[in-house]
Amino acid sequence: MNEERKITIQEVDAVEAPPKARVEDAGDARESFERKRDYLAGFLSQKPEPQGAGEPGGELYEAVIDALKEIYDPEIPVNIYDLGLIYGVDVTADGHAAVTMTLTTPHCPVAESMPGEVELRVGSVPGIGSAEVNLVWDPPWDPQKMSDEAKLELGML
């Protein structure tokens, strides 16, 4: 069962180049694959739908977010929005803002004062008639809810 194998070596001076691919009637193929001018015409002619003032991207909504970004956690030098404490912001057409938020822990030293400060700051935004803050504990806050900017500020990135 001990078969011996031999490898034969053949030396050559040159190797013949393989033939190049040729495409006949390339002009017809190019026309069929070329994007037609009207391909994007319908898309590009559409105007963006106007955003409601209280919807994300709307002026009033963004003004509320900016107000939330001015409130800082007293123990952590990051605003409560980037810290991930704000779970939701709803602004109605008649100027009522509802903010759903949490705190880092239920025993947070600002548990009694922070929701009141959020309500005052959001209520002071021009165009907001009334503000309501709903403090929730589910889902619990964790550091993964922080924005990348907050993580960078705290040296977590």
Side-chain angles (χ1 to χ4, degrees):
M1 292 207 122
N2 212 359
E3 290 182 34
E4 195 172 305
R5 294 181 145 177
K6 274 193 168 181
I7 299 175
T8 58
I9 300 173
Q10 179 183 4
E11 291 188 29
V12 294
D13 292 330
V15 176
E16 202 174 301
K20 292 186 178 184
R22 301 264 182 224
V23 178
E24 301 298 324
D25 301 325
D28 295 339
R30 190 172 286 158
E31 288 175 13
S32 66
F33 288 117
E34 191 173 305
R35 182 168 34 168
K36 305 294 182 224
R37 287 188 183 270
D38 64 346
Y39 178 74
L40 293 175
F43 176 76
L44 294 175
S45 67
Q46 289 179 349
K47 300 292 180 208
E49 292 182 23
Q51 291 285 355
E55 295 178 22
E59 287 181 33
L60 194 55
Y61 180 89
E62 295 303 322
V64 170
I65 298 299
D66 289 342
L68 292 170
K69 287 183 176 181
E70 292 177 0
I71 304 170
Y72 283 80
D73 186 294
E75 297 174 324
I76 306 171
V78 176
N79 69 65
I80 63 171
Y81 189 82
D82 287 333
L83 200 54
L85 298 178
I86 304 300
Y87 286 175
V89 175
D90 294 315
V91 180
T92 63
D94 60 344
H96 175 74
V99 177
T100 304
M101 67 174 291
T102 192
L103 297 172
T104 52
T105 68
H107 305 293
C108 182
V110 293
E112 290 184 27
S113 62
M114 183 66 75
E117 183 178 354
V118 169
E119 188 173 328
L120 282 172
R121 293 276 184 107
V122 171
S124 69
V125 171
I128 297 295
S130 63
E132 172 187 349
V133 175
N134 300 310
L135 189 61
V136 297
W137 302 107
D138 190 34
W141 179 86
D142 67 75
Q144 295 304 315
K145 294 185 181 348
M146 292 192 297
S147 70
D148 288 343
E149 291 83 8
K151 289 178 184 175
L152 185 63
E153 179 75 26
L154 297 173
M156 297 174 71
L157 277 182

